[in-house]
Amino acid sequence: MKQKLSVLLSLLVLASMVLAACGGGGASSASGPIPFPEGGKSVTGAYDQEPDAVVPYFTQMSFEIWVTQLTLVGLGEWDDKGNFVPELAVEVPTAENGGVSEDGLTITWKLREGLLWSDGTPLTSADVKFTWEMVMDPGNAVTSRTGYDKIESIETPDDTTVVIKFSALYPPWPTLFTQGPNNGGGIVPKHMLEGKTAVESDPFIRMPTVASGPFVITEWIPGDYMTLLPNPNYYKGRAKLDRVQIRFVADSAAALAALQTGDIDWYPNFSEGDIETLKGLEPNVKLTVIPGVDFEHYFFNLGRVDGVDGRGKADNEGFCPFKDVRVRKAITLGINRQAVVDSLLSGYTTVPVSQWPNSSWTNDNLVVDGYDPDAAAALLDEAGYTVGDDGIRVGDCNGEQVRLSFNFETTTAPIRISIATAAQADLAKIGVEFTPIHTPAGTFFGQYVDGGPLTTGKYDMGGYTTGFYPDPYTDNYSCENIPNAASPTGNNWYHNCDPFLSDLMDTMLDTVDPAERKAILDEAQAYIAEQYYVIMMYARGNVYGSTPRFQFGPVGPESDINWNSELWDVTE
């Protein structure tokens, strides 16, 4: 796959685009991607989830964010050491350089001089302001407006100055207009989207053909592959590679097979359970494992159509028994999570209690609940659910007899299938019928307007990987962030409105003092654990498999391999 399309693609690109200079010292003024030269350097990766979009404000899919890091960059980013560094900006705003006002309400960014989009159009402060306006336009179904809705105004006194004025203190401001593996804030081109509304349906949102990053998407065959060529106007100069291709494969097993035959050069989504297999393939396959701050978790749909005290109304009512903390705790105790780690993940990770694992923000005073089916059964007895003739527990919930039988929805990833099967067997032992549904990622993570199960709340239990970084604040527990027909853009996919927790998390926004924020988060972590709102399955590691020929730059837990893709190279 790495070479068979090269001749055809070269002819197509040469026929339609202007050849650009390939110097590495700075941006040129070319108006299209640099054509792929015959015999040029090319790498092919594999994704087992095809992005539903690439413009980051309209999806929360990791695979999409990885493509965005290659194509639509932001004002800043996080490097392999976890440092916040400038990207399109000259420097990161601080109080010392005058970029952060004394009251913390005004942030001033200075863009680099002479920035250009890949088509040769100047990239200016107007694009930053337009990005905010696009996010805040009520006619656009963005995934979330968190943080952007705290901005009172953006002033652009000249082409390189962006003055952001907040209506209230917002400590996570570095996550806005910046692009990382866990925050989607790339700048979008005003000249491509200005004057449009309901832009989520615009073809540019799925496949942006104008870029600011090191590469530009030039071809996308759904279900097959995506091709990216160098951006001649990238601010750091031309990327080392002449072409990047991404193949869409069924699963990690298909990716592993392609890696062994050399049909692909890297795959970024192996699980901890694949480490032993990958080790056995060395030196023909290179294994890279980076401890991460992401986590795999199961969670309960706690939606309430009437809301709580007038807040957090959901479109769909969650499974009634889940409203009882004893049921949630019993299900947590009833899954042998350590066995999952030991047997399916080869013991390469841990079962955390906090949603901030492997982080300085972790509440180290919390203790993980072990597997205890007897205690789980006792809790269900106490909650009034007794075992029926078919082995499934039945009990009264809000005046109705309800069986402890529910669906669990996640993606088709093989490791998720294996873990869900193990959880199903564990829970059957305590009289709980847990039925896994494995949905293609594009549908599973679909937006509200597309009827995605997570956003619409049309599920009982769900599971996937996420992480709350680079800033520890999350609005995933905000009552006001539950997506519904009136406000479909929220990312509280738990559909959980707990006013105490919602307000407690928001107090993290009232101070910039790290110690004060840590104390607030410690309290929130303890409360989430006491309420058993989520089941922490395991802390994730970033497990990469690659061919020896593929040389990528330094990698960190908050940056992944995509943050410096202009350095990617091959050795033949």
Side-chain angles (χ1 to χ4, degrees):
M1 184 65 182
K2 293 197 291 289
Q3 300 298 332
K4 69 180 182 180
L5 294 173
S6 61
V7 175
L8 175 59
L9 182 59
S10 298
L11 291 173
L12 290 173
V13 174
L14 285 168
S16 61
M17 299 179 179
V18 179
L19 182 63
C22 298
S28 73
S29 58
S31 60
I34 299 172
F36 177 60
E38 187 65 31
K41 297 179 180 180
S42 178
V43 297
T44 300
Y47 285 2
D48 59 292
Q49 296 178 23
E50 185 168 1
D52 53 354
V54 170
V55 174
Y57 302 98
F58 298 89
T59 180
Q60 291 187 329
M61 194 176 181
S62 295
F63 290 84
E64 171 277 321
I65 293 295
W66 296 339
V67 176
T68 307
Q69 286 181 280
L70 305 180
T71 56
L72 291 173
V73 298
L75 300 177
E77 63 183 346
W78 281 263
D79 67 14
D80 59 298
K81 304 297 183 184
N83 301 310
F84 184 43
V85 297
E87 194 161 18
L88 296 177
V90 175
E91 60 184 356
V92 170
T94 64
E96 290 71 24
N97 64 25
V100 179
S101 64
E102 186 175 345
D103 61 7
L105 296 178
T106 302
I107 309 297
T108 301
W109 288 91
K110 293 292 292 186
L111 300 182
R112 299 173 188 272
E113 295 281 351
L115 291 174
L116 297 173
W117 291 99
S118 59
D119 64 357
T121 303
L123 194 166
T124 71
S125 57
D127 293 298
V128 181
K129 183 175 182 179
F130 173 76
T131 299
W132 172 60
E133 293 171 340
M134 180 199 72
V135 171
M136 294 307 299
D137 184 344
N140 296 330
V142 297
T143 300
S144 175
R145 296 187 171 92
T146 298
Y148 295 96
D149 59 0
K150 300 291 194 298
I151 296 174
E152 185 176 90
S153 67
I154 293 183
E155 298 174 2
T156 55
D158 56 58
D159 285 348
T160 60
T161 304
V162 182
V163 182
I164 304 173
K165 295 186 177 181
F166 288 86
S167 58
L169 198 65
Y170 190 67
W173 63 262
T175 63
L176 307 180
F177 306 106
T178 58
Q179 186 62 53
N182 202 47
N183 65 295
I187 306 305
V188 299
K190 178 180 179 179
H191 68 286
M192 297 299 295
L193 293 170
E194 186 176 22
K196 298 180 179 181
T197 191
V199 295
E200 64 275 2
S201 60
D202 191 280
F204 187 88
I205 299 302
R206 173 174 165 78
M207 177 180 164
T209 52
V210 172
S212 56
F215 295 97
V216 187
I217 303 171
T218 60
E219 186 181 25
W220 188 341
I221 306 301
D224 196 355
Y225 66 89
M226 173 191 293
T227 301
L228 302 95
L229 298 180
N231 172 5
N233 299 321
Y234 182 50
Y235 76 94
K236 288 185 180 180
R238 187 198 192 281
K240 290 184 178 181
L241 290 176
D242 298 304
R243 182 178 66 185
V244 172
Q245 288 193 324
I246 299 170
R247 288 176 55 187
F248 305 121
V249 298
D251 50 37
S252 60
L256 180 62
L259 191 61
Q260 290 178 270
T261 59
D263 288 331
I264 65 168
D265 292 295
W266 93 96
Y267 174 71
N269 200 43
F270 284 114
S271 79
E272 293 78 3
D274 297 314
I275 291 176
E276 288 296 337
T277 300
L278 292 167
K279 275 186 174 181
L281 298 175
E282 292 179 324
N284 295 324
V285 171
K286 176 183 174 183
L287 168 66
T288 303
V289 182
I290 306 295
V293 290
D294 288 318
F295 54 86
E296 181 82 358
H297 70 323
Y298 287 4
F299 48 89
F300 308 92
N301 179 354
L302 295 174
R304 295 175 182 264
V305 294
D306 294 329
V308 180
D309 298 330
R311 300 172 64 182
K313 293 183 179 181
D315 286 345
N316 293 284
E317 192 79 13
F319 185 54
C320 183
F322 292 163
K323 295 180 173 67
D324 189 330
V325 65
R326 294 170 296 184
V327 174
R328 300 195 298 270
K329 182 176 181 179
I331 293 172
T332 303
L333 297 178
I335 300 175
N336 194 341
R337 295 173 288 165
Q338 190 59 51
V340 166
V341 168
D342 293 340
S343 62
L344 296 177
L345 304 177
S346 303
Y348 278 99
T349 186
T350 58
V351 177
V353 62
S354 165
Q355 289 181 278
W356 289 261
N358 299 324
S359 163
S360 60
W361 297 97
T362 302
N363 183 339
D364 294 320
N365 295 319
L366 303 179
V367 178
V368 179
D369 288 302
Y371 176 55
D372 193 339
D374 292 336
L379 281 166
L380 294 177
D381 288 339
E382 181 185 324
Y385 293 93
T386 57
V387 179
D389 294 339
D390 61 354
I392 307 303
R393 290 178 179 266
V394 181
D396 181 87
C397 192
N398 289 346
E400 295 183 7
Q401 288 293 294
V402 180
R403 298 173 74 246
L404 283 186
S405 174
F406 52 85
N407 294 332
F408 167 77
E409 192 149 358
T410 187
T411 71
T412 56
I415 190 63
R416 289 193 172 123
I417 294 174
S418 297
I419 293 174
T421 300
Q424 182 181 37
D426 285 342
L427 292 174
K429 297 173 185 176
I430 61 171
V432 173
E433 187 173 49
F434 171 97
T435 304
I437 297 175
H438 297 285
T439 303
T443 301
F444 180 70
F445 292 107
Q447 297 307 296
Y448 186 93
V449 294
D450 301 317
L454 295 180
T455 53
T456 59
K458 295 177 181 177
Y459 71 95
D460 295 331
M461 276 186 71
Y464 67 97
T465 288
T466 191
F468 302 141
Y469 64 95
D471 188 274
Y473 170 76
T474 177
D475 59 2
N476 283 41
Y477 288 103
S478 169
C479 290
E480 285 65 43
N481 222 31
I482 293 175
N484 54 41
S487 179
T489 60
N491 59 1
N492 181 345
W493 290 353
Y494 308 141
H495 297 262
N496 178 8
C497 178
D498 181 328
F500 172 78
L501 180 58
S502 179
D503 295 343
L504 176 63
M505 288 298 301
D506 281 348
T507 62
M508 284 191 71
L509 304 179
D510 295 336
T511 176
V512 295
D513 183 280
E516 292 180 7
R517 300 186 83 208
K518 176 68 165 62
I520 294 167
L521 190 59
D522 277 353
E523 182 181 356
Q525 290 175 73
Y527 183 78
I528 292 167
E530 291 167 1
Q531 296 297 318
Y532 292 88
Y533 279 147
V534 299
I535 304 175
M536 297 296 291
M537 297 300 290
Y538 58 94
R540 290 296 308 266
N542 297 317
V543 183
Y544 305 101
S546 60
T547 58
R549 72 184 289 272
F550 178 35
Q551 305 296 311
F552 49 84
V555 184
E558 297 183 17
S559 62
D560 71 29
I561 69 171
N562 301 304
W563 78 279
N564 55 8
S565 58
E566 71 278 0
L567 301 179
W568 290 0
D569 207 346
V570 294
T571 56
E572 302 293 352

